[in-house]
């Protein structure tokens, strides 16, 4: 997408305290606040009503669930199909299952477990055991942890699940969405984060980039491979760690919106100050501050964001 097109894009960002997602574990909807990021056309205020009424029939909904220090993203198509990217932490397992239940998710077409760290596969075993998961994409990497063992056991016990080793170049089309796997490019890396599945999702004119915990080395590989990286929204790599999101990479992506999935007061000091500085000119949402973040993509000229802030009084 060239710069002109980006300028023409009607990008309306609304931060509202809507009832779009049923409140769980202290999440609550208390007040309404809306903010317009870029508006080259008409803006739209979402109704603060029930979940089903927030997403229109043509919209794709992308939920960045607030799972503390981890990742869990649910994408729902207009036809009611669901795609999951990661499954939160061990500690947030019940919360993740509650989120999915509240969203009425019984089937998952594609589950991407970006890499086998516990903050990405915390609820993976339970999701596979309890829901009808059709395809699971994982990198060719293993961890010697109980949580990873439980994921493998769940996959073994559910023979109906199609398990695919993820690598760059794979393309999946589902309803109006195209998913391209951009990384891992190599077969071998020296740390698990580098095996992260990086997914570019295209919905009409809107492009999302989900980075998992990919590092600057992965970013360089993608750039060197000549990949088209321009995107409207980036899920920032590795919870905003300084080891991801190089200036060069950010210049190639030129996102309008950044989402950081991160836990409040985490042990890793994520996100790094240097990353927040780099994102200075980009509208940035953080799950530790904004709670669960929901993006509605109309496919053409519209992206809306709402968030359900955590209730800090708890
Ligand atoms: Zn992580």
């Amino acid at each position: 997408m060239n710069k002109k097109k980006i300028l023409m894009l009607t990008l309306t960002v609304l931060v509202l305290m809507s009832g779009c997602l049923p409140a769980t574990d202290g999440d609550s909807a208390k007040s309404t606040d809306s903010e317009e990021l870029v508006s080259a056309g008409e803006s739209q205020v979402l109704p603060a009503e029930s979940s089903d009424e927030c997403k229109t029939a043509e919209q794709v909904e992308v939920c960045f669930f607030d799972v503390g220090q981890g990742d869990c993203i649910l994408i729902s198509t207009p036809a009611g199909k669901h795609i999951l990217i990661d499954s939160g932490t061990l500690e947030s397992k019940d919360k993740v299952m509650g989120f999915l239940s509240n969203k009425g998710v019984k089937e998952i077409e594609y589950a991407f477990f970006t890499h086998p760290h516990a903050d990405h596969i915390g609820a993976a075993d339970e999701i596979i055991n309890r829901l009808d998961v059709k395809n699971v994409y994982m990198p060719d990497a293993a961890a010697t942890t109980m949580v990873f063992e439980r994921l493998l056991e769940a996959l073994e016990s559910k023979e109906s699940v199609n398990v695919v080793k993820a690598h760059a170049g794979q393309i999946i089309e589902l309803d109006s969405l195209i998913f391209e796997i951009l990384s891992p490019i190599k077969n071998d890396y020296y740390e698990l984060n580098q095996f992260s599945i990086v997914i570019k999702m295209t919905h009409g004119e809107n492009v999302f980039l989900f980075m998992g915990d990919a590092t600057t080395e992965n970013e360089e590989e993608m750039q060197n491979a000549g990949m088209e990286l321009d995107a409207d929204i980036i899920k920032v790599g590795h919870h905003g760690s300084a080891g991801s999101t190089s200036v060069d990479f950010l210049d190639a992506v030129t996102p309008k919106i950044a989402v950081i999935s991160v836990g409040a007061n985490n042990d890793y000091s994520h996100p790094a100050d240097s990353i927040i500085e780099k994102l200075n000119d980009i509208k940035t949402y953080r799950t530790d501050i904004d709670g669960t973040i929901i993006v509605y993509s109309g496919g053409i000229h519209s992206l809306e964001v709402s968030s359900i802030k955590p209730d800090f009084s708890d």
Side-chain angles (χ1 to χ4, degrees), residues 115 119-120 193 213 238-239:
H115 64 295
D119 57 325
H120 296 254
N193 287 336
D213 281 359
H238 198 194
H239 321 288

Side-chain angles (χ1 to χ4, degrees), residues 126-137:
E126 202 152 337
I127 287 168
I128 291 162
N129 287 329
R130 283 175 45 184
L131 305 179
D132 181 7
V133 181
K134 295 186 175 157
N135 302 281
V136 166
Y137 278 65

